[in-house]
Amino acid sequence: MRNERGNLVLIAMVALVLTAAMVALLLERTSAVEGTTRADTERIRAWHAAEGGLEQARAELRRDPQWKRDRYDIGGVQVTVFVQDDEIVAIANPGSVSRSRTLRGGARLPDR
């Protein structure tokens, strides 16, 4: 009888350790997926903010063809927009997304 109790305790301990290991693995996997999802969301927000910065720059260039550079807050994302050579460049942070659009000839009006 005593030997059977010892076996039951041993089996219960092994089952408990295996269950705890599976739970720990599941929690680690969930945390990794959450981190990836958060990073993807930040990149998407930054991409859209950079696109908004390009549109803002187009409007600025229509008002003032000599416009060169500005910084905007678009949807809570800081976007730096500037003219470089024949391009409008928008850099959005966080996410460090860069978007650019080519300007049309000497008129300095953006292509659409």
Side-chain angles (χ1 to χ4, degrees), residues 35-102:
T36 301
T37 302
R38 187 174 298 125
D40 288 344
T41 300
E42 286 298 314
R43 272 192 298 278
I44 290 167
R45 281 184 65 222
W47 189 89
H48 286 290
E51 282 292 313
L54 291 175
E55 292 303 315
Q56 185 68 33
R58 291 180 76 230
E60 295 288 349
L61 283 168
R62 278 192 294 275
R63 280 192 290 270
D64 176 10
Q66 299 306 311
W67 180 87
K68 295 277 189 211
R69 158 182 223 101
D70 213 338
R71 186 177 192 114
Y72 306 101
D73 183 300
I74 299 175
V77 176
Q78 291 296 312
V79 181
T80 302
V81 185
F82 55 93
V83 175
Q84 179 179 24
D85 300 324
D86 287 350
E87 289 187 317
I88 303 171
V89 179
I91 300 172
N93 286 302
S96 297
V97 171
S98 179
R99 303 282 300 141
S100 64
R101 212 166 263 156
T102 303

Side-chain angles (χ1 to χ4, degrees), residues 23-34:
V23 167
L25 183 63
L26 182 63
L27 287 174
E28 178 198 347
R29 178 83 77 174
T30 302
S31 294
V33 168
E34 181 183 338

Side-chain angles (χ1 to χ4, degrees), residues 1-18:
M1 182 87 170
R2 193 171 258 226
N3 195 17
E4 287 178 19
R5 281 188 187 165
N7 285 339
L8 284 176
V9 169
L10 181 61
I11 291 170
M13 294 286 276
V14 168
L16 183 63
V17 167
L18 288 175

